[in-house]
Amino acid sequence: MAQFSFLNDLNSAVRMDEPITKGPVPRWQKKTLEPSGGINSSLNLSKGKISASFNASSSGMPKTPKQSDAMAMKKTPSKTPKKSPGKTPSRTPTRTPSGGDRFIPSRTGTNFELGHYKLNQQENEREDDGLSPAQKDNRQAMKETLHGCDISQTRILAFQKKAPAPPEGYVNPLKVLYSQSKTPMSAKATSRYIPHAPDRILDAPEIVDDYYLNLIDWSSTNILAVALGNSVYLWNAATGNIDQLLELEGQDYVSSLNWIQEGNLLAVGTSLGCVQLWDATQNKRLRLMDGHSQRVASLSWNTFILSSGSRTGQIIHHDVRQREHQVALLSSHTQEVCGLKWSPDGKYLASGGNDNMLYIWSGIPGQASYQTTPLYSLSAHQAAVKALAWCPWAPHILASGGGTADRHIRFWNCNIGSCFNSIDTKSQVCGILWSSAFKEIISGHGFANNQLIIWKYPSMAKVAELTGHTARVLHLAMSPDNTTVLSAGADETLRLWKCFVPDPLKKKEVKDSAPIHSILKQSIR
């Protein structure tokens, strides 16, 4: 009988149609034993199998693979132990619906048949080599009709829908780490809020529409002087009160205005060539000074020296302390002097005329002697030079603007008399002002855009454009706190723009105001 049992074992060993009773448990059977199909159940099952094998080996009784597998299958998977706070957290972080940095596409819309065709496209093309051109076209059309798209323009791996937009305020950390430029969170603010609408609009009826005149000025005591026809009105910016200072008689009209640096003295130039001094607090005329034969279109103060430019091209220095007020006569201009500005330190006087010339004159502060020949004669402008402004933090730098035929703003170093920068504004330049708080300039323009432009200095990058005037901007004036710009237009309106308001979070610098010399008033009277 022994030989029959041996043959039976041999036959059962070589037969392939019977179920396998030895070896490891198949994967699908392990899956059925897992309660949730998770990673922890598989780990627990493996731990049970390992512990069973370890117990069998430690007892000294060798276990067959069949017995080990049976013990592992009988082993009940243990429940997932609760994690204590001190243990290492899971490697896979929990992702919230609103956050995350991954996009997991949905494969429900994937065309697997088309992908299979694209993978085997080379073999399909080899099969089509033996076909005629008509048969190839028919087969290609049939394929495109079957798949519903142009096969040549289709890719195997492509998203059917675009990735969702990131939540508001989300910044990719990889961009922060690997981008060379600064991200919006780390970059400093390069711009500020500038209102593009005027803060207030005032009526200015009968303002003379003349490019060469200078009809508004803002005093250090916050009083705005405006010349309307033959009258001068004072507007208190703090209270809003309006008072009439003077009214000329006959055909005479006001052609220029200028406040003294500190105080309430107002110089008024008339069309008949006379210069008047008025005390704005008492509404009283203090002095009348002659010397010009035609209208006075420009005025500028330098302490007790008042310079006036007329239509004849002459510039007269008046010493208001003396009975004989005329101390110097400058006669280089051949046409009307429409721009006149002393530098903040009183070292230079800039004069621009309708002869397209810009002259730089030397001045000695505190003395009555002045040179009658210009230091520099600058002829770069191709039109009348009315807009003049000195840099407040660099008194030797002058900005000048040309008329309609020129349209340029040019910057001059008056220590050496050279132009170091210029820009084409595309419009007639009527006025220029500096802002020391933001290192910017603002320019008022006439033909053809009638707007105000704020420029960053020295790059001359355009910061903002302020529009609203329906006619050319004739004059500009700055408030004493350097926050508000007033523009006077030929449309008979005055517009106040709060374009240089400092950041309230930053500390404001308090500047001590210079005392008003009472001896000056006494000497004038």
Side-chain angles (χ1 to χ4, degrees), residues 329-455:
L329 177 64
L330 315 178
S331 303
S332 295
H333 285 284
T334 58
Q335 295 188 36
E336 185 169 18
V337 181
C338 51
L340 202 62
K341 289 287 182 181
W342 278 99
S343 61
D345 57 0
K347 187 177 180 181
Y348 299 109
L349 172 67
S351 63
N354 195 26
D355 54 0
N356 307 344
M357 292 298 297
L358 173 63
Y359 291 109
I360 307 299
W361 309 84
S362 176
I364 304 175
Q367 297 185 15
S369 59
Y370 294 88
Q371 295 182 358
T372 57
T373 56
L375 285 176
Y376 306 107
S377 301
L378 309 174
S379 59
H381 287 287
Q382 304 302 316
V385 183
K386 175 193 176 184
L388 298 173
W390 292 92
C391 181
W393 63 87
H396 64 284
I397 293 177
L398 173 70
S400 61
T404 307
D406 183 70
R407 303 175 299 181
H408 279 73
I409 296 177
R410 305 181 189 275
F411 296 90
W412 308 87
N413 185 345
C414 294
N415 288 338
I416 57 177
S418 64
C419 178
F420 60 88
N421 193 10
S422 66
I423 186 171
D424 187 0
T425 64
K426 311 298 183 183
S427 295
Q428 177 189 40
V429 184
C430 302
I432 299 174
L433 296 173
W434 291 81
S435 172
S436 57
F438 296 97
K439 297 295 189 294
E440 296 172 349
I441 67 170
I442 183 170
S443 55
H445 300 275
F447 304 115
N449 297 325
N450 306 327
Q451 86 277 41
L452 285 79
I453 303 178
I454 300 176
W455 312 84

Side-chain angles (χ1 to χ4, degrees), residues 27 53 96 149 184 230 295 341 371 389 397 421 448 463 502:
R27 181 180 178 84
S53 302
T96 59
C149 60
N230 61 348
R295 70 178 184 182
K341 289 287 182 181
Q371 295 182 358
I397 293 177
N421 193 10
V463 177

